[in-house]
Amino acid sequence: MRTLEVSGNPYQRGFQHGTAFSKEIREFAASRIELLKGYLPTWTTQEINELAQKQIDVLQEYREEFEEFCGIADGADLPQEDLMVLNNYTDMRNFSTPEQGCSALYYKKHNELIYGQTWDMTPEALPYLLHLKIKDVNDTHIFTVVGCLALCGVASHGVGVFINDLKTTETGRGLMWPALVRCLLKQRTAADGLRFIKKNLPSSGHHYLICDNKECYSVETTGQRIDTVKTVTGSGVAFHTNHYLGKLGSTVADGSLSTTTLLRYDHINEYFNKNDKLTFQEVARGLFGTDLASGGVCMLPSTPSAAITCGGLLFDGIKKTGVVFEADYCAKNLTKFSF
């Protein structure tokens, strides 16, 4: 997996990112654009660009995230509309291939604090994975793909943000979700993150696991509404896959659920029910290092699916150490980090 550390003001950080991977960003953007056209076969290139520009207009309201976005586009010599498709592809198509998904969790029990997620994508994304390290007032470690502000991450003050894609018919004029992840990571506490997202919704359906060393909020959104489906204070667990658990589930289009979401949810639930006292390594290997057939959540290349587990991030909130990984956790290509 690629690793890049960036610093300076938001535009400078973005320009460093764009320059470092200009070729890869242009390749990946072109791939995402072609995929989007497959989901929107009646749309012209102009119509897709107009949709992208509307989302860029929203992003301009968030100065730091917009400046970093501009820096990436300039560094990669890529039109901003194309970079928007790369970042906000899932919302622009508003539905995914049925097998795509991801699994997010928070575990706080017996003096252990663990949070993170796997990220399941179609295999074309695998060559473009990136561990992005942001050097700022609050250092941040991010799991993402080249050209994208964030898929998920954790900041040095302990706030972690992890997401699941949810499918809804209820869209809106919202913030590009990778920029929303970055905004949430800047919040001082998980509670601050919850207050922020209530006033700054994404444009389509997602679940956000917003957590710190004291509490965790499991939040579902559409492009117009928000629902906190679980709060953990003190000890407890929270986890989510790719289906609505709360009242917003009534907005889901028929047939849009991931075919593995219920299975992955059941595996996590069963694992936590059977294993009350767990260590970081046990959670990592028991869930993120184990495939679906064996009771874990990973969709490995041998799994007959259109999507695979491309990687993920897992953080130990007590030791303030974590890993980003490619494929499943048990693979050798783990990158450790610490604050």
Side-chain angles (χ1 to χ4, degrees):
M1 184 187 301
R2 296 174 176 83
T3 298
L4 176 69
E5 181 176 302
V6 296
S7 60
N9 63 42
Y11 181 84
Q12 290 169 335
R13 297 197 301 261
F15 193 81
Q16 293 163 27
H17 181 173
T19 302
F21 303 116
S22 58
K23 176 177 178 291
E24 292 88 347
I25 291 170
R26 292 195 300 270
E27 289 175 351
F28 192 39
S31 173
R32 283 287 168 96
I33 290 168
E34 286 305 307
L35 285 173
L36 182 62
K37 288 179 178 178
Y39 287 105
L40 304 172
T42 64
W43 288 47
T44 65
T45 298
Q46 180 178 343
E47 289 172 326
I48 290 174
N49 286 342
E50 287 173 352
L51 174 60
Q53 184 58 55
K54 289 179 181 178
Q55 296 177 337
I56 292 169
D57 292 343
V58 175
L59 183 59
Q60 290 183 45
E61 301 170 13
Y62 302 80
R63 182 181 61 82
E64 291 187 358
E65 288 67 36
F66 178 63
E67 289 179 359
E68 188 167 341
F69 177 88
C70 291
I72 296 172
D74 290 350
D77 192 22
L78 185 73
Q80 290 185 6
E81 294 88 348
D82 291 2
L83 187 62
M84 177 56 73
V85 175
L86 186 155
N87 276 263
N88 214 28
Y89 163 72
T90 54
D91 280 7
M92 292 180 74
R93 68 184 181 180
N94 199 34
F95 59 94
S96 66
T97 54
E99 293 80 10
Q100 248 178 310
C102 41
S103 305
L105 60 85
Y106 177 90
Y107 172 91
K108 186 180 182 183
K109 286 187 175 183
H110 308 293
N111 298 315
E112 295 283 351
L113 175 60
I114 305 159
Y115 36 97
Q117 78 168 94
T118 58
W119 198 276
D120 303 334
M121 294 178 280
T122 48
E124 98 283 344
L126 188 59
Y128 303 105
L129 297 180
L130 172 65
H131 172 203
L132 182 63
K133 298 185 284 186
I134 306 293
K135 299 295 292 184
D136 198 359
V137 176
N138 300 305
D139 291 348
T140 308
H141 286 269
I142 291 168
F143 177 76
T144 188
V145 287
V146 295
C148 181
L149 291 180
L151 299 180
C152 62
V154 62
S156 58
H157 52 279
V159 171
V161 181
F162 307 93
I163 90 155
N164 307 91
D165 189 33
L166 302 177
K167 299 310 166 191
T168 178
T169 58
E170 195 172 272
T171 58
R173 183 185 184 274
L175 176 60
M176 175 184 84
W177 68 264
L180 177 54
V181 170
R182 291 290 296 275
C183 288
L184 292 170
L185 287 169
K186 292 191 300 183
Q187 305 306 306
R188 296 304 307 170
T189 66
D192 290 338
L194 179 63
R195 284 188 284 270
F196 183 89
I197 196 172
K198 285 180 177 180
K199 297 180 180 179
N200 300 271
L201 289 176
S203 58
S204 191
H206 300 277
H207 166 261
Y208 294 82
L209 197 67
I210 308 168
C211 45
D212 61 21
N213 59 359
K214 294 182 178 180
E215 55 195 355
C216 172
Y217 299 96
S218 178
V219 180
E220 295 177 347
T221 74
T222 67
Q224 301 176 28
R225 293 183 290 163
I226 187 168
D227 181 26
T228 302
V229 296
K230 185 168 187 177
T231 300
V232 177
T233 57
S235 65
V237 299
F239 52 91
H240 209 287
T241 54
N242 299 91
H243 57 283
Y244 282 101
L245 301 177
K247 63 185 180 183
L248 301 181
S250 61
T251 70
V252 175
D254 292 341
S256 65
L257 286 183
S258 161
T259 58
T260 64
T261 181
L262 297 176
L263 180 60
R264 286 181 283 114
Y265 185 91
D266 288 345
H267 283 181
I268 300 172
N269 187 47
E270 182 179 3
Y271 188 79
F272 284 144
N273 283 337
K274 287 184 175 180
N275 304 280
D276 179 65
K277 191 173 183 180
L278 291 161
T279 65
F280 180 92
Q281 286 295 330
E282 287 169 339
V283 171
R285 295 185 182 279
L287 290 173
F288 290 0
T290 305
D291 65 16
L292 288 173
S294 303
V297 298
C298 286
M299 295 191 288
L300 303 181
S302 59
T303 303
S305 170
I308 63 171
T309 298
C310 289
L313 183 153
L314 195 63
F315 184 67
D316 185 325
I318 302 297
K319 296 179 180 178
K320 293 190 175 181
T321 60
V323 294
V324 291
F325 55 93
E326 183 177 329
D328 66 307
Y329 178 83
C330 292
K332 295 180 179 180
N333 45 359
L334 303 176
T335 301
K336 298 180 180 180
F337 66 86
S338 62
F339 292 117

